Amino acid sequence: MSPDPNRNRPPQPETPPPAAADGVRTGVGPDTAFGTGGPITNCDDGQRCDVDSADWQVALVGAGCGDAGLLTLRGRDALACCDVVLFDGLANADLLCHVRPSATRICVGKHGQSRIWSQDEINAEIVRHAAAGLRVVRLKGGDPAVFARTGEEIQAVRSAGLRFMIVPGITAALAAGSYAGIPITHRGVASAVALVTGHEEPGKPQSALDWPALARFPGTLVIYMGVTTAKVWSESLIAGGKSAETPVAIVRRCSLADQQVIHCRLDEVADRLAPGQRIRPPVISIVGDVTRLAETMSWFDRRPLFGKRVLVTRPESDNDTLVQRLSALGADVRHQPAIAVGALDDMTELDQAIDQLDRQDFLVFCSVHGVNYFLDRFCQQHDVRKLAGLRIAAVGRKTAQALRGHRIHTDLVPNDYTGDALVDLLVDSKLARGLVVRASRGNDAWVQRLCEMGVNVSQVAAYRNEDVQDWPSSVCDDVHGGRIDWVTVTSSATARSVDRLLGHRWGHVKVAALSPVTADTLSQLGVRPDVVADPYTMDALADAIAHFETNVSAKMDAGSDQPSGESDERRN
């Protein structure tokens, strides 16, 4: 069986579709749905995808609360086969990666950043596209059935004679409770919960809420959209008989890396949410004794990198293990590549190397990008039979995994994931001739060593690797201003590029290097790395940062004035 040329395909250049209307935002994302499902079929060739047997024209999809991973599988599948998506500021923009590139993306408003569409405008836009024969997803923060005005949208859709479905999402009350370590119900503490809006429809002659009844409610109250009305609802509850000392947890941006949790009393809520405190939505307030359980049940803010901002500078990837691992450890990750990769402008040498593979004894891949770009070109001309008889080697574990994604198993992978270790394996295997697949630039000292040991080795570039010319000024300002805690550096080329982009000024940021070779390059630039991964993998790099921060916290708890033993200067 030949390798599937669509698996792990490198990112392709894209031409965004023209803007369709005011508020339209175009973007791109992979045409593969993530999670337990596989690729969504028939989504890029103009045909309907049949991930759902229901014949819907409009889907009202709950985006969940905060973290993009909280989207349901059904919601993911609806996004993957829609033609138009209307989303609001409460829906994580990362969810648009599930939407195919040719689909139209329409932002209906984000507080402080763009005009907020009226509900009538949103209704009309949904109906306009669906009536034209397009599948429309209305992506809504949280759950569509909880304070989301879904009823008005359904009424508009039904009046137009359109078929619809509703996909539930994780509502803010549940997400905020879980991520703050607060079970909103708990045996012996609260056996009931009430979801309450803190922002009723403007223009109502009187409130529809019975605050005295809510004050007597025998359980937990969860107040949605209650920032600007905090004084009103907190004082109404107290006036209705609820104790001013009732504990409250105010949770902002739950499940995201910058989540905030403020614990206070009910009579302190108005001051905590006053304009001067700069606590902006999205905010949920949990009122009741269950909030005290956070002392023993909180977990999200206890992860080793919670509150730390990490700048990742490696090239972008559809499945970046470093970003994923850092995020799992609690870091607020900013991905700003210092190196760009892409397809070669001239494929002549690569094509010649592929044609002459039958002259080789072994084939070495040095990176995941090398695997993807090489096999993408290879499969345009040949099938897997041309690899018969070749010993396949990979410098690292992730590279070997990428090969397995193409149904190709490796024969040789060094234990410490370095080229020098691979040299020993190749020499011990008594292989005489081989091809090394690499980037257009990189460290080839180990290849030279292999040649010196009598092995006939040729090299071929499968993709471009070049410096990014500029960074947004905000990135450099954040590093120089101390608003970035860590910078990760994963190659010598990346080290040199980051140094140039920062104007040779690293400030007081801590630096993590992937390998001793990268660390040596940083030292030559006058920058001392704080940690070096061992083994030389992305997961180990993230874990080294977490271990460093854990030790710092432990020393600070012990009262050390200089917990890390580090200099204030990044330069040697």
Side-chain angles (χ1 to χ4, degrees), residues 26 251 364:
T26 58
V251 185
V364 178

Side-chain angles (χ1 to χ4, degrees), residues 323-364:
V323 171
Q324 292 173 356
R325 181 60 179 162
L326 287 168
S327 298
L329 291 168
D332 185 356
V333 181
R334 184 168 185 175
H335 197 175
Q336 190 65 55
I339 298 292
V341 300
L344 298 171
D345 295 323
D346 184 352
M347 298 282 190
T348 302
E349 292 186 5
L350 179 58
D351 289 342
Q352 290 175 348
I354 291 173
D355 289 340
Q356 296 172 7
L357 279 176
D358 51 4
R359 302 181 184 180
Q360 310 294 349
D361 298 322
F362 63 87
L363 179 62
V364 178

